Amino acid sequence: MADRELHLGVNVLSDGMHPAAWQYPSSDPSWFTDPAYWIRVAQIAERGTLDAVFLADSPSLFQPPDQPLSAPPLALDPIVLLSTLASVTTHIGLIGTVSTSFEEPYNVARRFSTLDHLSRGRVAWNVVTSSDRYAWNNFGGGEQPDRATRYERAGEFIEVVRALWDSWDDDAVVADKSTGAFSKVGAIRPIRHRGGHFSVDGPLTLPRSPQGHPVLFQAGGSTGGLDLAAKYADGVFAAQASLEDALSNAQELRSRLIAHGRPAEAIRIMPGLSFVLGSTEAEARSRNDELNELAGDRRLAHLAGQLSVDVAELKWDKPLPGWLLEGAAPISGSQGARDIVVNIARRENLTVRQLLDRVITWHRFVVGSPEQIADAIEDWFVAGAVDGFNLMPDVFPSGLELFVDHVVPILRDRGLFRREYTSTTLRGHLGLERTPDRPSSGSIRRTG
């Protein structure tokens, strides 16, 4: 094994990364709410000794009444689903996405701590902020805060959650039957947080979890997202589509870590890797062509949605619109993710058709044999641009199963990836220490 160990998670969507995944012959469109499907995917990932299963979330479903859905939605609540997956797995990590824009810190702290206890230390919270105007209309509507305010709220949100996770000392429970004292005096205390966005007394209703704190992931590549990650996160689900941009992003993130007084290696950088896998490159390209044909013009609509532009502005054999290439900010959606796609199109002077051969969404996209996929992973890892990847196969579960059976053995033979789990916690899988206890005398936080 090399000095650095490769980390691999799997970002599990309702069907797969390709817009036509649900139409593929091996897919069953009813799977997106079937627990057996999600259990099968998690168990395949665990068989491959992957670090974690990663669940995205979208708390909105905008659908024009005169049009059908084009794919299964992200239907299930990730925390509830992870509770099910925790009961049928033993080692694999469980990462759930919850937005700081629509929740309250106490509820989030309690849910993730509960799940960390129930899974015996395998849980992570993927922190996101939300710019989806349809989601805002599901949570009271009103004027949507600007980006800076959303990240300001997110930072305070994380501070409150972490304080609540520390509101019990590790040795708080004594359960002394002879005296009737269940807890140690002074070892459970309020946090009395008073800030610009939240007022929370605490303490939490349950002890510190097996990991001390559940792992914190952050997804988002904007300046605000990078700074939030550098200050708080243990891992980053980055979106990068070229080695040049990935190296630049890693350097920027690590410099921000140092600026916040953290070691440069404190975070695991794990961008998404979309792929189509075949036994040969020709077979992989044939599979990709079949999926593209099934999707037809929906590929164009899919790209328009990712870029937050009207599909009418995209033409197959023309470049992206000039105003987009010039860097105009989106009205909604992810600025960081949009920039990644636009940068590739601008740098390589690509038409929309050529761009869609390079990306499914804004993540890196590789079509090839097991050796080619393994080479693609190793190249970025050895270059120091990443610590691993969140796998995003074209179709679930077949794409993941092909990866586990044919790519994982190659990575193991190259000394890059584990042959078996050596830890029972997600922090252990990621090479991170348990979050240390905070002494009672210094744990109460007041802000503002």
Side-chain angles (χ1 to χ4, degrees), residues 424-437:
T424 59
T425 70
L426 179 54
R427 286 190 178 274
H429 300 341
L430 294 171
L432 301 170
E433 298 294 327
R434 183 181 187 272
T435 306
D437 195 4

Side-chain angles (χ1 to χ4, degrees), residues 88-418:
V88 294
T89 56
T90 57
H91 285 77
I92 196 160
L94 306 162
I95 305 174
T97 299
V98 172
S99 173
T100 59
S101 298
F102 309 124
E103 290 276 1
E104 289 294 324
Y106 194 93
N107 292 338
V108 169
R110 190 182 187 202
R111 287 186 202 127
F112 277 99
S113 186
T114 296
L115 194 52
D116 207 43
H117 279 284
L118 296 179
S119 67
R120 295 182 172 87
R122 294 188 282 134
V123 170
W125 169 28
N126 179 44
V127 182
V128 298
T129 64
S130 299
S131 58
D132 177 1
R133 64 182 183 275
Y134 305 111
W136 279 92
N137 291 336
N138 288 336
F139 294 89
E143 185 176 353
Q144 185 173 326
D146 60 26
R147 191 181 305 274
T149 302
R150 294 198 302 270
Y151 278 112
E152 178 187 278
R153 174 187 166 97
E156 186 180 337
F157 197 116
I158 294 170
E159 289 281 354
V160 176
V161 167
R162 296 203 310 181
L164 288 166
W165 284 340
D166 285 331
S167 60
W168 292 52
D169 288 347
D170 275 338
D171 61 354
V173 176
V174 294
D176 189 334
K177 293 184 179 181
S178 65
T179 65
F182 189 78
S183 67
K184 181 179 176 181
V185 174
I188 303 173
R189 59 216 168 268
I191 66 169
R192 300 192 184 109
H193 175 92
R194 300 293 181 266
H197 298 274
F198 305 105
S199 177
V200 182
D201 277 355
L204 208 57
T205 58
L206 69 167
R208 293 186 92 234
S209 68
Q211 298 185 103
H213 291 179
V215 175
L216 282 181
F217 264 77
Q218 188 273 338
S222 68
T223 299
L226 284 172
D227 204 57
L228 192 74
K231 191 171 183 180
Y232 300 110
D234 303 299
V236 174
F237 180 21
Q240 298 297 333
S242 71
L243 179 57
E244 179 182 351
D245 288 341
L247 285 166
S248 175
N249 178 77
Q251 183 178 6
E252 173 68 16
L253 179 57
R254 288 167 182 148
S255 67
R256 286 174 184 267
L257 280 163
I258 294 169
H260 283 291
R262 302 178 66 194
E265 67 279 4
I267 282 184
R268 302 296 174 259
I269 302 173
M270 298 173 65
L273 176 63
S274 301
F275 61 87
V276 180
L277 177 59
S279 59
T280 65
E281 181 180 354
E283 184 179 298
R285 294 201 175 280
S286 176
R287 174 173 168 127
N288 189 50
D289 289 344
E290 183 179 359
L291 284 162
N292 287 346
E293 186 174 348
L294 287 170
D297 285 346
R298 284 188 292 114
R299 295 174 67 207
L300 207 61
H302 190 66
L303 178 63
Q306 303 297 341
L307 295 173
S308 301
V309 301
D310 191 313
V311 68
E313 299 207 51
L314 302 181
K315 307 298 180 184
W316 279 105
D317 295 306
K318 292 185 178 181
L320 293 176
W323 62 267
L324 190 57
L325 292 171
E326 290 166 6
I331 295 174
S332 63
S334 169
Q335 176 72 57
R338 187 191 203 191
D339 287 347
I340 288 163
V341 178
V342 171
N343 286 344
I344 291 176
R346 183 193 302 116
R347 185 185 302 135
E348 302 181 27
N349 194 28
L350 301 177
T351 66
V352 168
R353 189 183 304 277
Q354 291 168 330
L355 182 61
L356 281 170
D357 287 337
R358 290 286 310 277
V359 295
I360 290 182
T361 57
W362 46 76
H363 296 278
R364 186 184 184 194
F365 180 45
V366 182
V367 179
S369 67
E371 291 79 11
Q372 289 172 311
I373 302 295
D375 288 345
I377 290 171
E378 184 175 8
D379 287 348
W380 282 30
F381 178 68
V382 171
V386 302
D387 297 298
F389 289 94
N390 265 311
L391 305 172
M392 303 164 74
D394 54 350
V395 178
F396 279 106
S398 65
L400 177 62
E401 195 156 29
L402 287 169
F403 185 93
V404 165
D405 290 341
H406 300 287
V407 180
V408 166
I410 296 172
L411 296 172
R412 287 172 173 167
D413 289 345
R414 295 181 184 183
L416 297 172
F417 193 58
R418 67 173 71 88

Side-chain angles (χ1 to χ4, degrees), residues 30-62:
S30 69
W31 279 342
F32 75 112
T33 57
D34 184 350
Y37 160 75
W38 295 93
I39 290 168
R40 182 183 173 193
V41 169
Q43 291 178 337
I44 291 170
E46 188 164 68
R47 176 163 61 81
T49 63
L50 270 57
D51 291 66
V53 168
F54 186 106
L55 298 185
D57 190 33
S58 178
S60 69
L61 182 61
F62 172 70

